[in-house]
């Protein structure tokens, strides 16, 4: 009350002091407040799992801060060519990129890759290659469409002589039939010889190729990798295969995902803030009915927000992905104090003509209540400060101190402004006509109302106990961004599942043993380790490869290929078509060889240019695939000593330790499956790292922080209530209403199909601070003798405070970032629960109790 009186008497001095404070604070913030876009910093560095991940990241830095370009083409060869061109373009741009690599490529994989196959798979592959020797020999001697037609001719001859069964090759023949049919129609398309000659290997690799890129980051911006990602898009768009629509280049990875999350946060922020301010102004107009109060309230909010921002720049120096939400929370919560003060002032002005005395009267009635509400609300935020969830701890510190700043602004600059605007006297009663009816109804039916709330509380307790926690951080991101869309296309394959586990073995034998143990787990789909690249049974495998090479050597020996002319192509097409026609009766009606014959009959009549275009498409990748096959048959024994450096650095440490990557089944894409996968992996190796382990550890840290903050907040609020109210019963009334609000929030969330996640879980402890404000106003009025709680000025202030708070929370719910939106949704549900508990349950409870003396 003293501060209010002093501020009123020295209004201009108070305003001048605040102008200086705000100016100095904003200047300091402009030069010192930064944005920390590193999501790793959201958790305390001292946490054991953070230490484990830091050690692993230092050992294998090449897997951090990546943009992953995903190249797709109709053929594996086309994808390889486009990925190579993209990597060359990226490597040439030193301004935006540090380095680039293409996993699974290079001399090692080209020459020795067959040794990496399991022995049975290698045997099946080599047997199919040997069986196709006549076909390969013809193609090697004449790698043109004429050679292909001649090879098809030989197949028909074999069928006619009863020496060939083409059934095992139906898939390859169908591909030929389709390609020849397209060529005859004038739309030739390249055919994948890799898929035809080594179908098992091609199917395992798929038509997707990856380019791993380390961008140059600008950590002073909200999107550190934004410039690099834009450069990547430009390079990709200029590639011929992308221009023609044959190939596509998309991207994902830690950097784009992080950048897009911050972009989602800021998208529509200006419009959302403008709409929120407009709605808040509307609620203020309905609450206080005069610009003489609206303007001071808005100025008080802006000043408090500026001072809170200044505090953040001094105390922390950076805003993170979570703490950037402090501004909306501040506006939504701090406006309650100003509304309470001004509505009480309106009520006092109805009884007191002197504006100065009325201002002091409002301070006398509302000052203690606002002080209690601000301290309790601050406790809800500050309870997070001791936790290891640094992102929310920083938000809690900023917003908690912000509540104290808001209180002091409410009792200093707001009275100073009101002294200057001089609000007019009120004539009518400040309250709600319907409030009197509500008070009467609750007095008459109080026991029934309390019984209903008892049932709802039980349902809420069950809901709180069974509500799920979504540990998948991807579920809090905008699913419509490029990085998220691209990532989703990779989730159906185990090898590209982002939720894998990393482990270290002391040496190669231990790595093999651990891999064997991991592979036995039902939650594990595949295990890759450094030992994978130094395969077992090499002697037997090399013998098989050398035997195959001896058989195929004459067929794969290359000489000068014959000149390709339309006449040669046409003659070969005519001969092959005639041979197929001659054996047509011996073929099943569904044989793809019949379709090949029909396509050749059409192809032999097309113009020369079309025939040459068909030759170019059909054999575009044939010479390269024949060379690749020849190279693969010259494999040499792989040892740790001759392993290429680019492979060794990904799987071996200088001290001899070996990295293992444990890939889960598709079940790990759910939260329950992910927890089971990590728990199963820890039965083999207690210390693991990688995205799956980090995700589960993050979830446990968040849940632990929530429990700790909820407990601290509840205890702190209870202590504060006892200090201010000095009554166990009155304090218990506030706490009981808060508990009901929490149970109703859980019930509403379950009914809405919501789950808790790392973003929205912070809404629950904040509920303590929000709810205690409203409950304190009612309990303190009731103990002061007020008989009509719902018809009072306090009820009017609480309702419009809730509307303004809901507007601020609604702007969070409208965010393009799913995590922020889920926070806004849960805050709105909790606000609805608080209002129901405050306006229905609490009055019914109070009216059922006897008053003291």
């Amino acid at each position: 009350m003293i501060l209010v009186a002093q501020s009123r008497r020295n209004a201009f001095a108070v305003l001048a002091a605040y102008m200086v404070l705000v100016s100095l604070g904003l200047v300091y913030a402009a030069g010192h407040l930064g944005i920390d876009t590193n999501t790793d910093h959201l958790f305390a560095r001292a946490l054991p799992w953070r230490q484990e991940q830091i050690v692993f990241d230092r050992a294998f830095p090449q897997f951090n801060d990546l943009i992953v370009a995903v190249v797709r083409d109709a053929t594996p060869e086309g994808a390889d060519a486009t990925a190579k061109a993209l990597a060359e373009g990226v490597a040439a741009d030193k301004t935006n990129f540090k380095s680039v690599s293409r996993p699974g490529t290079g001399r090692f994989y080209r020459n020795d890759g067959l040794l990496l196959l399991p022995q049975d798979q290698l045997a099946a592959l080599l047997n199919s290659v040997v069986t196709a020797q006549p076909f390969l020999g013809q193609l090697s001697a004449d790698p043109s469409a004429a050679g292909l037609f001649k090879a098809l001719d030989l197949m028909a001859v074999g069928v006619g002589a009863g020496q060939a069964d083409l059934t095992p090759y139906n898939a390859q023949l169908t591909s030929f039939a389709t390609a020849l049919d397209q060529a005859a129609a004038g739309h030739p398309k390249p055919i994948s010889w890799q898929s035809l000659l080594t179908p098992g290997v091609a199917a395992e690799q798929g038509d997707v190729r990856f380019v791993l890129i380390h961008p140059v980051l600008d950590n002073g911006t909200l999107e550190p990798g934004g410039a690099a990602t834009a450069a990547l898009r430009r390079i990709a768009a200029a590639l011929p295969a992308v221009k023609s629509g044959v190939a596509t280049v998309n991207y994902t990875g830690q950097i784009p995902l992080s950048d897009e999350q911050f972009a989602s946060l800021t998208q529509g922020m200006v419009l959302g803030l403008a709409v929120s301010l407009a709605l808040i102004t509307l609620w203020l107009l309905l609450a206080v009915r005069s610009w003489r109060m609206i303007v001071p309230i808005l100025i008080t909010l802006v000043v408090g927000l500026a001072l809170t921002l200044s505090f953040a720049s001094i105390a922390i120096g950076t805003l993170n992905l979570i703490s950037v939400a402090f501004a909306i929370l501040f506006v939504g919560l701090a406006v309650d104090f100003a509304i309470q003060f001004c509505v009480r002032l309106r009520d006092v002005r109805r009884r007191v003509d002197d504006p100065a005395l009325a201002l002091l009267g409002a301070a006398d009635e509302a000052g203690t209540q606002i002080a209690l509400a601000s301290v309790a609300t601050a406790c809800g935020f500050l309870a997070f400060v001791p936790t290891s969830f640094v992102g929310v701890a920083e938000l809690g510190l900023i917003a908690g101190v912000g509540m104290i700043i808001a209180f002091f602004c409410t009792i200093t600059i707001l009275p100073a402004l009101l002294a200057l605007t001089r609000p007019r006297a009120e004539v009518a009663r400040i309250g709600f006509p319907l409030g009197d009816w509500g008070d009467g109804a609750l007095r008459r039916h109080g026991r029934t109302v309390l019984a209903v709330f008892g049932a709802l509380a039980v349902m809420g307790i069950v809901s709180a106990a069974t509500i799920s926690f979504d540990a998948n951080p991807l579920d809090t991101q905008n699913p419509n961004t490029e990085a998220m869309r691209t990532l989703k296309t990779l989730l159906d394959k185990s090898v590209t599942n982002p939720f894998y586990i990393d482990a270290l073995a002391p040496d190669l034998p231990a790595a093999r043993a651990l891999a064997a143990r991991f592979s036995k787990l039902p939650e594990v789909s595949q295990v890759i380790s450094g030992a994978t690249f130094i395969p077992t049974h090499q002697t037997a495998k090399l013998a098989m490869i050398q035997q195959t090479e001896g058989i195929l050597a004459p067929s794969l020996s290359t000489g000068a290929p014959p000149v390709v002319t339309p006449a040669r192509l046409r003659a070969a097409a005519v001969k092959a078509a005639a041979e197929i026609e001659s054996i047509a009766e011996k073929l099943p009606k569904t044989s793809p060889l019949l379709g090949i014959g029909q396509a050749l009959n059409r192809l032999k009549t097309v113009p020369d240019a079309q025939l040459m275009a068909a030759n170019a498409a059909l054999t575009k990748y044939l010479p390269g695939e024949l060379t690749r096959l020849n190279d693969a048959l010259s494999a040499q024994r792989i040892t740790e000593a001759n392993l290429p450096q680019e492979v060794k650095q990904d799987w071996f440490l200088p001290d001899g330790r070996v990295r293992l990557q444990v890939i889960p089944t598709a079940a790990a894409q759910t939260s329950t499956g992910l927890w089971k996968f990590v728990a199963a992996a820890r039965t083999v190796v207690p210390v693991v790292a990688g995205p799956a382990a980090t995700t589960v550890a993050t979830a446990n840290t968040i849940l632990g922080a929530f429990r700790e903050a909820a407990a601290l907040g509840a205890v702190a609020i209870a202590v504060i209530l006892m200090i201010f109210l000095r009554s166990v019963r009155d304090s218990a009334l506030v706490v009981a209403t808060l508990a009901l609000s929490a149970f109703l929030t859980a019930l509403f969330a379950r009914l809405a199909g919501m789950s808790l996640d790392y973003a929205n879980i912070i809404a629950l402890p904040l509920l303590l601070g929000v709810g205690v404000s409203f409950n304190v106003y009612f309990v303190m009025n009731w103990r002061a003798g007020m008989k009509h709680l719902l018809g009072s000025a306090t009820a009017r202030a609480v309702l419009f405070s809730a509307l303004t708070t809901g507007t601020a929370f609604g702007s969070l719910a409208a965010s393009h970032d799913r995590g922020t939106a889920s926070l806004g949704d849960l805050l709105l549900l909790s606000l609805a629960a608080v209002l129901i508990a405050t306006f229905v349950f609490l009055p019914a409870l109070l009216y059922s109790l006897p008053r003291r003396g």
Side-chain angles (χ1 to χ4, degrees):
M1 188 169 173
I2 296 174
L3 281 175
V4 173
Q6 291 293 333
S7 298
R8 183 196 64 79
R9 283 197 296 268
N10 304 285
F12 287 107
V14 169
L15 294 178
Y18 269 105
M19 286 181 62
V20 172
L21 278 175
V22 168
S23 299
L24 291 175
L26 292 179
V27 168
Y28 184 87
H32 295 82
L33 186 63
I35 300 292
D36 185 357
T37 58
N38 190 333
T39 54
D40 288 339
H41 296 166
L42 294 178
F43 301 93
R45 187 182 180 89
L47 286 166
W49 65 267
R50 280 276 288 129
Q51 287 295 309
E52 292 164 8
Q53 192 61 49
I54 288 170
V55 169
F56 205 92
D57 289 345
R58 285 176 178 169
F60 299 98
Q62 63 270 33
F63 301 130
N64 300 322
D65 297 334
L66 283 173
I67 298 177
V68 180
V70 181
V71 181
R72 288 184 173 86
D73 193 284
T75 64
E77 296 94 331
D80 279 326
T82 303
K84 180 181 178 183
L86 178 67
E88 290 171 350
V90 169
D93 185 352
K94 303 299 183 184
T95 302
N96 292 297
F97 305 104
K98 298 177 183 177
S99 63
V100 61
S101 62
R102 291 194 297 135
T105 62
R107 186 211 60 79
F108 171 75
Y109 293 97
R110 187 179 183 89
N111 290 7
D112 304 324
L114 290 181
L115 290 173
L116 303 180
L117 295 174
Q119 194 168 350
D120 57 345
Q121 187 177 341
L122 175 62
L125 172 65
L126 295 178
N127 284 336
S128 67
V129 171
V130 169
T131 304
Q133 181 191 13
F135 190 77
L136 289 172
Q138 183 59 56
L139 292 175
S140 182
D142 184 4
S144 69
L148 171 61
F149 300 158
K150 201 170 292 185
L152 293 170
D153 186 352
L154 290 175
M155 283 187 177
V157 170
V159 171
Q163 299 175 351
D165 178 15
L166 301 183
T167 304
Y169 304 100
N170 274 349
Q172 290 92 328
L173 292 174
T174 299
S175 296
F176 284 133
T178 301
L180 291 170
D181 190 62
Q182 291 170 337
H187 307 293
K189 293 183 179 178
I191 192 169
S192 172
W193 287 95
Q194 186 179 132
S195 300
L196 292 169
L197 298 180
T198 55
V201 176
E204 188 169 314
Q205 292 179 339
D207 60 352
V208 178
R209 298 295 182 269
F210 298 100
V211 180
L212 306 184
I213 303 164
H214 282 99
V216 174
L217 302 178
D218 181 1
N219 290 313
T221 65
L222 279 175
E223 299 177 52
T229 303
L232 175 63
R233 287 196 296 265
R234 290 193 299 270
I235 293 170
L239 298 176
V242 175
K243 278 185 177 181
S244 64
V246 173
T248 61
V249 176
N250 303 104
Y251 58 84
T252 185
Q254 305 110 309
I255 296 302
L257 286 169
S258 177
D259 285 351
E260 288 174 355
Q261 187 159 31
F262 272 91
S264 296
L265 278 170
T266 57
Q267 186 178 356
M269 181 179 289
V270 175
L271 177 61
L273 185 59
V275 172
S276 295
L277 288 176
L279 287 174
I280 287 173
T281 303
L282 173 63
W283 303 138
L284 290 176
L285 179 62
L286 294 174
V288 298
R289 304 281 181 91
S290 170
W291 69 267
R292 297 172 187 273
M293 289 186 176
I294 294 174
V295 172
I297 289 174
L298 292 176
I299 292 175
T300 301
L301 277 179
V302 171
V303 168
L305 183 59
L307 293 177
T308 304
L309 184 69
S310 304
F311 168 79
S313 63
I314 295 170
I316 300 174
T318 57
L319 296 177
N320 60 56
L321 178 65
I322 296 174
S323 64
V324 293
F326 89 90
I328 293 175
L329 293 175
F330 178 90
V331 171
L333 298 173
V335 72
D336 169 59
F337 308 151
I339 289 177
Q340 284 291 337
F341 191 93
C342 288
V343 170
R344 298 294 182 88
L345 177 60
R346 288 185 65 200
D347 191 42
V348 174
R349 283 287 280 136
R350 184 173 62 87
R351 307 188 304 269
V352 179
D353 289 334
D354 189 325
L357 293 178
L359 200 60
L360 296 177
D364 185 52
E365 287 189 10
T368 302
Q369 296 180 13
I370 294 174
L372 175 54
S374 65
V375 173
T377 304
C379 286
F381 285 109
L382 293 174
F384 274 106
V385 173
T387 70
S388 299
F389 193 1
V390 174
V392 179
E394 291 179 354
L395 171 64
L397 179 61
I398 297 169
V401 173
M403 293 300 97
I404 305 302
I405 291 173
F407 168 69
F408 279 103
C409 287
T410 301
I411 61 172
T412 53
I413 190 172
L414 180 59
L417 291 166
L418 291 171
L420 298 178
T421 58
R422 299 178 65 84
R424 293 171 180 170
E426 299 287 341
V427 177
R429 175 189 171 197
I430 308 301
F432 290 115
L434 288 177
D436 293 334
W437 173 86
D439 283 319
L442 290 176
R443 288 181 187 278
R444 291 191 302 272
H445 307 291
R447 291 185 177 181
T448 303
V449 170
L450 293 177
V452 170
F453 275 109
L456 290 174
V458 172
M459 295 169 63
I461 292 171
V462 173
S463 298
T466 58
I467 195 168
S468 61
F469 183 84
D470 186 355
N472 189 342
L474 299 178
D475 290 341
T476 64
Q477 297 211 192
N478 184 348
N480 300 314
T481 61
E482 169 74 8
M484 277 299 296
R485 287 197 304 266
T486 302
L487 185 59
K488 283 184 175 181
T489 65
L490 303 174
L491 293 178
D492 59 341
K493 295 184 179 180
S494 62
V495 73
T496 53
N497 190 315
F499 295 111
Y500 57 85
I501 277 176
D502 284 318
L504 288 174
D507 50 37
L508 268 176
R512 295 189 196 280
L514 284 178
R517 292 177 61 191
F518 277 124
S519 297
K520 292 178 181 178
L521 298 175
E523 296 84 3
V524 172
S525 169
Q526 184 181 2
V527 181
I528 304 172
S529 75
T532 305
F533 299 91
I534 307 176
T536 56
H537 309 298
Q538 289 194 55
T539 300
K541 292 178 181 179
L542 284 169
M544 295 163 58
I545 293 172
Q546 289 165 3
Q547 183 181 24
T548 303
E549 195 272 337
I551 296 171
L552 294 182
S555 302
L556 295 179
S557 58
T558 57
V563 177
V564 180
T565 64
R568 281 191 65 240
L569 296 175
R570 204 179 305 279
V574 169
K575 188 173 184 305
E579 191 63 46
I580 293 172
E581 189 174 352
S582 70
I583 62 153
E585 293 182 356
K586 296 182 179 182
L587 295 171
K589 291 184 179 180
T590 58
S591 173
L593 199 58
L594 293 174
I596 291 173
Q598 294 168 2
L600 288 172
N601 275 322
R602 298 204 316 276
L603 197 59
K604 67 186 181 183
T605 63
V606 302
D608 288 355
Q610 186 175 337
L611 199 57
M612 293 300 288
N615 174 75
L618 291 170
T619 62
K620 179 177 181 179
Y621 300 123
L622 177 57
E625 184 59 22
L626 291 172
T627 301
R628 192 181 71 85
L629 179 59
N630 204 27
D631 291 342
L633 294 176
S634 62
Q636 300 296 317
R637 184 178 297 275
I638 304 172
T639 65
E640 188 173 354
N642 66 14
L643 202 63
Q645 182 59 32
E646 63 268 20
V647 176
K648 191 178 292 185
Q649 68 181 6
D650 287 349
W651 298 99
F652 294 87
L653 290 176
D655 60 6
R657 285 182 294 170
V658 184
R659 172 178 166 245
L660 294 92
Q661 185 179 93
V662 186
I663 301 169
T665 61
Q669 292 178 25
T670 66
S671 291
T672 302
L674 189 63
W675 248 291
K676 288 181 178 179
F677 169 58
V678 174
R682 290 191 188 279
T683 63
V684 177
V685 179
V687 178
V688 293
T694 300
T695 298
V696 170
T698 297
N700 288 330
T701 300
I702 292 169
L703 290 171
F706 158 68
R707 296 188 188 99
E708 184 180 348
L712 287 174
V715 171
I717 288 172
V719 170
I720 290 166
L721 289 173
M722 284 298 298
I723 292 173
F724 273 81
L725 300 179
R726 298 184 180 182
S727 166
V728 173
R729 185 182 73 164
D730 293 349
S731 300
L733 289 171
V734 176
V735 171
T737 310
L738 277 177
L740 178 66
S741 300
F743 297 145
L744 288 178
T745 300
L747 176 60
F748 294 164
R750 285 284 301 199
L751 293 175
M754 292 183 66
S755 59
L756 298 179
D757 56 50
Y758 85 90
N760 67 25
I761 197 171
I762 67 174
L764 301 181
L766 298 184
L767 166 67
L768 297 175
V770 178
V772 75
S773 301
F774 297 166
N775 300 335
V776 159
Y777 299 144
F778 273 54
V779 170
M780 293 187 75
N781 284 347
W782 173 76
R783 67 188 240 152
M786 185 178 289
K787 297 181 179 180
H788 300 284
L789 297 176
L790 299 184
S792 66
T794 299
R796 180 184 184 88
V798 166
L799 179 62
F800 283 104
S801 292
L803 288 173
T804 54
T805 302
T807 299
F809 291 168
S811 66
L812 291 176
S815 172
H816 293 271
D817 177 68
R818 290 178 71 180
T820 304
S822 69
L823 170 60
D825 290 338
L826 195 55
L827 283 172
L828 286 174
L829 290 179
S830 68
L831 183 61
V834 166
L835 283 177
I836 292 171
T838 302
F839 276 85
V840 184
F841 169 76
L842 182 56
L845 182 60
L846 292 174
Y847 294 151
S848 68
L849 297 175
R851 292 181 183 271
R852 290 198 178 96

